[in-house]
């Protein structure tokens, strides 16, 4: 990294610390999701099973790693205990247990060695493994009638299976993760490097049936957050398994993503949507930046610059245009989008945008964190 970029990273890290010193007090033990009029909501009051409920404790752990300030650890640990209500609800659980417990209990165990946290992570991993469809070799998404649905996002859940195999010294979990990753590689990534959001398999025979639009603009379009889940998800699978095809898959989607973001570097919500209305998704940029940094860490020297420069360009552009460092707003990153067709969820600050933005900055600072 150039000296100029190193200075920039430190400047941003100072701004993050200043902001979180305040917002960690204001928000406290809660599950923030979307910010409206400068204040985050709290899913603890409305949906304790919501898939994003691990990101605030995750931010607290990131801040603890970066600062070693006890207050962040305490808040993270208190939220982790709250999440036990969710873990015990069972019926409310879904494929996103990876997102929820990797950034809470598993992060806690990795940092503190707390045995209770380890058990929480193991329960979440066992639950995720139980959603594996043996015929189709995929982990099913959501609950309800669509037993054949799998989604690209789930590439970010399977790291909890790699972690469980490691701590239990038992490859069962890893086998399931790799089968799911192989199925995803084969059925989700299109020849041009873009990805499908939802693939439907026949849940009895395991045969591929169809693809569905999901959170993007239309069937066959290119939901940018889906692309970024693929970039980060496949490089993580490579890191955990060293299977070359996963690195190649991550690079293929990354190369496509870098082409699509063009000179502005801030992704639209969908790369194949009409130019108007303008619907950005900074969360996709932050997630992709994390994945691109990890690709840069895992390719030969002569390739590193392509991916590291792309990550830095994305983060810098988003910071310049869309970070709010004022006291009027609790979130850092504005202009995230939940889903293209969710009119109220467009161009809003979303908690996982902040989570991945902070994670990317810490990676660039050399804080060796990999919660996934
Ligand atoms: N995992 C759901 C989303 O990306 O919105």
């Amino acid at each position: 990294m150039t000296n100029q970029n190193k200075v920039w990273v430190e400047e941003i890290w100072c701004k993050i610390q200043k902001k979180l010193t305040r917002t960690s007090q204001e928000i406290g033990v809660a599950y923030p999701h979307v910010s409206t009029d400068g204040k985050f909501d709290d899913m603890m009051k409305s949906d304790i099973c919501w898939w994003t409920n691990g990101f605030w404790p995750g931010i607290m752990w990131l801040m603890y790693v970066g600062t070693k300030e006890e207050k962040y650890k305490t808040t993270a640990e208190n939220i982790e205990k709250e999440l036990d209500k969710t873990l015990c609800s069972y019926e409310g659980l879904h494929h996103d247990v990876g997102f929820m417990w990797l950034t809470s209990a598993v992060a806690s165990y990795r940092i503190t060695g707390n045995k209770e946290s380890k058990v929480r992570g193991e329960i979440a991993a066992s639950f995720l493994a139980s959603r594996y469809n043996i015929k189709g070799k995929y982990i099913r998404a959501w609950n309800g009638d669509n037993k054949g649905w799998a989604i690209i996002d789930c590439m970010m859940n399977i790291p909890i299976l790699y972690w469980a195999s490691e701590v239990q010294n038992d490859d069962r979990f890893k086998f399931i993760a790799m089968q799911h990753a192989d199925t995803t590689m084969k059925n989700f990534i299109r020849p041009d490097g873009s990805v499908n959001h939802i693939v439907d398999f026949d849940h009895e025979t395991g045969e591929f049936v169809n693809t569905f639009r999901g959170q993007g603009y239309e069937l066959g379009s290119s939901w940018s957050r889906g692309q970024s889940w693929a970039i980060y998800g496949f490089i993580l699978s490579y890191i955990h398994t060293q299977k070359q095809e996963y690195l190649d898959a991550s690079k293929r989607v990354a190369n496509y993503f870098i082409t699509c973001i063009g000179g502005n570097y801030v992704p639209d919500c969908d790369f194949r949507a009409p130019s108007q209305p303008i619907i950005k998704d900074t969360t996709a940029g932050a997630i992709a930046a994390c994945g691109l940094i990890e690709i840069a860490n895992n390719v030969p020297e002569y390739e590193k610059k392509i991916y590291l420069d792309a990550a830095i360009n994305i983060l810098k552009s988003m910071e310049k245009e869309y970070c709010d460092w004022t006291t009027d707003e609790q979130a850092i990153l504005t202009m995230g989008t939940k889903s293209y067709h969710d009119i109220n969820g467009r161009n809003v600050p979303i908690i996982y945008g902040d989570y991945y933005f902070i994670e990317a900055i810490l990676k660039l600072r050399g804080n060796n964190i990999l919660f996934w």
Side-chain angles (χ1 to χ4, degrees), residues 1 7 14 29 33 45 117 124 188 231 237 310 324 327 352 359:
M1 211 171 28
V7 170
C14 286
V29 177
H33 175 217
K45 296 181 185 135
S117 302
F188 284 69
I231 296 169
S237 272
D324 188 331
T327 52
Y352 43 88
E359 186 183 300

Side-chain angles (χ1 to χ4, degrees), residues 9-302:
V9 167
E10 284 312 309
E11 269 171 25
I12 301 309
W13 173 236
C14 286
K15 290 183 180 181
I16 290 171
Q17 284 182 79
K18 197 166 169 215
K19 182 120 193 177
L20 265 295
T21 298
R22 179 175 65 84
T23 57
S24 62
Q25 289 297 314
E26 283 176 12
I27 297 169
V29 177
Y31 301 147
H33 175 217
V34 171
S35 169
T36 311
D37 297 330
K39 264 181 112 63
F40 271 113
D41 55 0
D42 181 5
M43 301 306 282
M44 212 174 264
K45 296 181 185 135
S46 53
D47 187 355
I48 62 163
C49 297
W50 188 240
W51 75 277
T52 62
N53 291 351
F55 286 111
W56 181 238
I59 289 176
M60 296 295 98
W61 282 120
L62 292 176
M63 294 308 296
Y64 178 69
V65 169
T67 65
K68 289 285 169 285
E69 287 180 38
E70 277 303 300
K71 66 180 181 205
Y72 295 119
K73 178 170 172 278
T74 306
T75 305
E77 287 174 340
N78 287 335
I79 302 171
E80 183 184 328
K81 284 183 204 136
E82 280 293 324
L83 275 167
D84 283 353
K85 291 182 196 134
T86 309
L87 201 56
C88 295
S89 75
Y90 192 79
E91 276 187 8
L93 296 178
H94 40 67
H95 62 283
D96 282 331
V97 292
F99 278 113
M100 296 169 79
W101 277 278
L102 278 166
T103 45
S104 56
V106 176
S108 174
Y109 174 67
R110 282 180 162 140
I111 294 165
T112 69
N114 180 4
K115 296 262 167 31
E116 285 174 19
S117 302
K118 176 170 174 271
V119 172
R120 290 179 178 115
E122 288 171 324
I123 294 171
S126 303
F127 177 81
L128 187 62
S130 77
R131 299 179 67 90
Y132 180 67
N133 181 307
I134 295 169
K135 286 281 180 62
K137 298 187 167 69
Y138 64 89
I139 292 170
R140 71 162 289 190
W142 299 301
N143 299 325
D145 292 338
N146 298 315
K147 296 180 194 133
W149 279 18
I151 58 174
I152 191 67
D153 326 23
C154 211
M155 285 302 296
M156 292 299 293
N157 285 307
I158 61 174
I160 202 166
L161 301 177
Y162 295 127
W163 169 81
S165 266
E166 202 184 298
V167 291
Q168 297 192 359
N169 193 20
D170 180 341
D171 280 341
R172 288 175 298 146
F173 295 96
K174 182 177 170 187
F175 290 151
I176 291 176
M178 290 182 77
Q179 296 283 6
H180 177 82
D182 291 347
T183 302
T184 306
M185 201 159 54
K186 181 166 161 229
N187 294 282
F188 284 69
I189 305 184
R190 304 177 186 133
D192 66 358
S194 66
V195 299
N196 293 305
H197 184 190
I198 302 174
V199 172
D200 184 26
F201 299 95
D202 183 313
H203 71 95
E204 286 176 351
T205 66
E207 298 293 310
F208 170 93
V209 178
N210 217 336
T211 60
F212 284 91
R213 179 193 78 192
Q215 284 159 255
Y217 171 63
E218 65 180 3
L219 185 62
S221 69
S222 178
W223 177 48
S224 61
R225 193 160 64 250
Q227 324 301 300
S228 60
W229 291 140
I231 296 169
Y232 200 9
F234 275 106
I235 190 63
L236 288 167
S237 272
Y238 174 72
I239 290 168
H240 290 293
T241 65
Q242 298 297 298
K243 184 166 169 170
Q244 180 66 33
E245 286 94 325
Y246 298 154
L247 174 60
D248 295 342
S250 180
K251 280 170 61 179
R252 185 142 52 96
V253 183
N255 296 342
Y256 165 83
F257 191 93
I258 292 167
T259 308
C260 289
I261 50 175
N264 170 258
Y265 295 110
V266 183
D268 292 331
C269 168
D270 193 310
F271 293 130
R272 294 179 190 157
S275 57
Q276 294 294 330
I278 295 173
I279 306 171
K280 291 288 180 191
D281 188 9
T282 53
T283 73
I287 297 157
C290 288
L292 291 165
I293 294 167
E294 292 301 340
I295 296 177
N297 290 338
N298 284 281
V299 290
E301 202 56 40
Y302 52 83

